[in-house]
Every structure is written in C-alpha cells, then in structure tokens.
Amino acid sequence: MEKPFLMSVEDVFCLQQGRMVMLTGRIERGRVRKGDEVEIVGLGGGATARVADIDASHVRIDEAGADMNVGVLLRGIAADAVERGHVLATPGSISAHACFAADITLLSEEQGGADVVSGDRLRFHTRSAAVWGTVTLHGVDVVPPLHGAEVTVTLEEPVALEEAQPFAFRQRGRAAGSGTVTRLPR
C-alpha cells in the first residue's frame, strides 16, 4: 500500500455525453483517492488528470487500494485518448519503454513452443497491453522449445515497464513462452 499507485487499464467507458471517462481495472499496488492526480502511461499516453470519483461494484468510494477492481472516473480526458493496455499511475512513478533486455523461456512443443531466432516478430503481453515486437538473441542462434535465452526486445509501441516485470509472448497466434524484464534503458 505504501508503494506508488499503479492500475492497468482493462476497459474504457465514456460517461455523461463524453464529459467523463471511466477506466476500469485491478489496482496492482498503492492506493488512489478522490482528488488525486494520476498519469496515463504507455501506448502514446502521457496525459495527467485528476480523479473525479472511484466506483467499486456500483458504489462510490473515496479511496481504493491494492488488489481492488475499480472504475476510476476522470474529467477532461477524451475517451479515445485512453485504451486497454495503458497504465494509470502516480505521476512520474513509471515510464513507458519500447526496448528492453529480458530472460525468456519457451514452452514445450506440445504446449505451443517453437524455435525462436533473432528477428522473429512476436506478440508480447504485459499487464493488459498486447504489442508486437522483434526479438534479438544474445549468445545463441536459435532457442528451441523448453530452453531459455537472454534477449533484447524492440516493441512497436512503448508500454509501461519496470525491471523484474513478467510478460508472456505468442508466436504465430499460439502461446510460445514467458519472460522477465531484466534491464531497461536509462
């Protein structure tokens, strides 16, 4: 609860003829209060807004904390400026990145894993964001199923990332493996 507020946006609703936007999702850490300033991070986001209200199961509350599923109502933000995959956070507490280093592990062939080589275009899933990216292998030419490797990932759109953050990836429409962010550019 003492960490900075962070909520992954899972859905966006336009209310009061577009005067308010409700962002729904699960609070990952910290707490948010009515009147707090929050930042929209990732996928080209970057706007800040003040929390007008918080909705928990159709009940208005003044404060919400970690592990709660809530709707955060913002005034003055266009509904098309926010989408699934954005992160709502305490301003300056997290930033968006399009490139990062990671350790990955592939699933077995029976589970959908297939060889990964440098230059493969994969679909990366982190929090509620799903973004295409290209993988560059380090020290090996190919990663077979059930093996791991150190890689650099270059995403097509920046997403909110932190070191030690887990992610999953898909290849050719099938689950292929998972990984952990090891290093972000400074």
Side-chain angles (χ1 to χ4, degrees), residues 158-178:
V159 295
L161 290 172
E162 300 173 296
E163 289 183 359
Q165 181 176 323
F167 61 89
F169 56 92
R170 297 176 71 84
Q171 183 179 36
R172 296 181 204 104
R174 297 182 64 185
S178 62

Side-chain angles (χ1 to χ4, degrees), residues 41-175:
V41 182
L43 304 175
T48 58
R50 200 154 296 282
V51 175
D53 229 327
I54 303 167
D55 183 296
S57 300
H58 305 291
V59 175
R60 298 292 163 102
I61 58 176
D62 292 330
E63 179 180 315
D67 295 326
M68 290 179 70
N69 287 307
V70 297
V72 176
L73 285 90
L74 304 177
R75 194 181 309 274
I77 295 290
D80 61 355
V82 188
E83 62 183 290
R84 178 182 175 88
H86 276 122
V87 167
L88 201 59
T90 300
S93 64
I94 190 170
S95 56
H97 298 275
C99 186
F100 61 94
D103 287 330
I104 63 167
T105 303
L106 299 179
L107 297 172
S108 69
E109 286 184 56
E110 294 79 29
Q111 296 171 315
D115 289 352
V116 171
V117 298
S118 282
D120 274 355
R121 189 168 179 256
L122 307 172
R123 186 84 168 159
F124 291 88
H125 298 264
T126 178
R127 293 190 174 97
S128 61
V131 180
W132 288 102
T134 305
V135 65
T136 305
L137 304 178
H138 299 289
V140 294
D141 296 327
V142 64
V143 182
L146 286 178
H147 287 77
E150 292 179 14
V151 300
T152 299
V153 176
T154 305
L155 300 172
E156 293 180 5
E157 292 183 89
V159 295
L161 290 172
E162 300 173 296
E163 289 183 359
Q165 181 176 323
F167 61 89
F169 56 92
R170 297 176 71 84
Q171 183 179 36
R172 296 181 204 104
R174 297 182 64 185

Side-chain angles (χ1 to χ4, degrees), residues 1-2 15 118 123:
M1 287 291 240
E2 301 311 314
L15 306 173
S118 282
R123 186 84 168 159

